[in-house]
Amino acid sequence: MRVDIVTIFPEFFDSPLGCSILGRAQQAGIVQVEHHDLRDYTDDAHRTVDDSPYGGGAGMVMKPEPFFRACADILGGEEAPVVLLTPQGEPFSQQKAAQLAAQERLVLLCGHYEGVDERVREALVTDEISIGDYVLSGGELAALVVIDAVVRLLPGAVGNDQSPVQESFGDGLLEHPHYTRPAEFEGRAVPGVLVEGNHERIRRWRRKESLRRTLQRRPELVGRVELSSEDHELLKEIWQEMSAGM
Ligand code: ADE
C-alpha cells in the first residue's frame, strides 16, 4: 500500500512513522508512506496556503489551489481515496480502517485554521474522517491515527496475523481481560480457568468476559454484533450474576 500525506508540517511525521509497527511495516515494504509539503504547491514568494474568508469573520481558510496541485501531482491521474481529516467528518471506526486497508493507495489531506475551501471538499475529497468529537489544532495527529489503524491491518504488519481479528472491535466487542505470570500478585490471583489449561473452558470464559466488559463499558456495541446462541446463554449468566451482586 502507498499512503501520501499532504500537510503544512511535514516534519511532524518523521518520528512517529519511524517507530514500532509503522516503522517495521515500511522497512518490510508492506507500506510506503510519503509526506508532501503543501507549501511546495503554492506559486507566490510567501508560499501562502491560507487567506481570509469571503463574507468576513475571524480566522483563515486554506486556499484550494495548493491542494488541487498537490493531488494532481501525487496521483498523476490514478484513482485513490482522498481523505480529508476534519472534525466534521464521519467518525473513524475499525470498520472504516478495514475498508481503507483494502485500498492500494490513500491520500490524506491535513486541514488547519478555520477549515479548507469548500471546493476542495466538493471536487477532490472522497472521504471525510473525524477521529473524535474534539477539535485538534490540525489534521496531522488524526492522519497518524488513521495510518496506524490501517497499516496494522495489512497482511504481515503485525507479527501474528490472528491478533488484529481477536483484539477489541475486531469482532465488534471489547476484549476479555489478559493475565501473565505471576499466577498470584499482591494477593490477586489469576482466574483459575486460565491456569488449568482446558482450551474449551478458556474460550468460553474469554467470550463471556468479552461480553461482560462490553456490556459494562459500551452497551451500545452489544446491540450491533450478531450474537450466537452461546452468546445469549453467556449474557443470561452475566445478568444472573449481576443481579446476584457477583
Ligand atoms: N482536525 C481537527 N480536529 C480533528 C478531529 N477531531 N478529527 C480529524 N481531524 C481533525
Side-chain angles (χ1 to χ4, degrees):
M1 176 181 233
R2 176 178 165 134
V3 181
D4 291 277
I5 310 162
V6 180
T7 172
I8 55 169
F9 294 121
E11 65 281 7
F12 200 95
F13 293 91
D14 291 336
S15 160
L17 289 175
C19 301
S20 183
I21 287 174
L22 273 174
R24 267 183 278 130
Q26 286 180 92
Q27 277 177 359
I30 293 166
V31 66
Q32 181 189 356
V33 186
E34 300 288 344
H35 41 66
H36 308 267
D37 189 343
L38 185 66
R39 294 187 196 279
D40 290 345
Y41 297 97
T42 56
D43 60 1
D44 65 315
H46 293 106
R47 296 169 40 96
T48 310
V49 290
D50 61 329
D51 204 342
S52 47
Y54 271 114
M60 299 291 268
V61 176
M62 295 185 88
K63 290 164 66 59
E65 308 94 312
F67 281 114
F68 277 76
R69 290 191 199 111
C71 285
D73 181 42
I74 291 165
L75 288 171
E78 249 185 82
E79 297 251 326
V82 176
V83 179
L84 176 67
L85 286 313
T86 164
Q88 299 178 20
E90 152 190 5
F92 192 48
S93 62
Q94 190 65 26
Q95 201 185 348
K96 187 72 185 174
Q99 183 196 322
L100 295 177
Q103 306 288 329
E104 277 172 29
R105 292 194 69 171
L106 282 182
V107 179
L108 303 180
L109 308 182
C110 304
H112 264 266
Y113 312 113
E114 298 304 300
V116 303
D117 187 285
E118 190 64 16
R119 289 158 295 186
V120 172
R121 285 202 159 86
E122 288 169 1
L124 277 184
V125 167
T126 60
D127 299 79
E128 297 185 38
I129 291 180
S130 164
I131 62 159
D133 289 339
Y134 38 79
V135 180
L136 303 166
S137 39
E140 280 76 12
L141 278 169
L144 282 171
V145 167
V146 169
I147 294 171
D148 188 280
V150 168
V151 168
R152 60 196 306 290
L153 294 179
L154 299 177
V158 176
N160 164 11
D161 270 359
Q162 273 291 80
S163 58
V165 182
Q166 277 176 10
E167 69 202 355
S168 291
F169 299 114
D171 63 0
L173 297 176
L174 304 184
E175 262 184 290
H176 55 77
H178 297 278
Y179 294 89
T180 186
R181 272 176 280 272
E184 194 179 317
F185 177 67
E186 298 196 343
R188 293 166 193 270
V190 171
V193 56
L194 299 179
V195 182
E196 287 155 14
N198 177 323
H199 294 296
E200 174 51 23
R201 287 195 60 214
I202 291 172
R203 186 200 58 75
R204 196 174 190 278
W205 181 88
R206 286 183 168 161
R207 185 71 187 174
K208 183 171 173 181
E209 296 314 313
S210 176
L211 284 163
R212 190 196 310 273
R213 188 153 273 190
T214 314
L215 205 58
Q216 285 168 340
R217 299 183 182 189
R218 300 287 306 278
E220 79 283 8
L221 294 178
V222 179
R224 290 190 213 150
V225 299
E226 220 175 292
L227 298 172
S228 65
S229 54
E230 181 187 55
D231 289 335
H232 286 290
E233 245 174 64
L234 294 172
L235 281 169
K236 209 163 124 192
E237 290 179 20
I238 294 166
W239 279 118
Q240 283 166 352
E241 288 163 15
M242 279 164 76
S243 39
M246 283 162 77

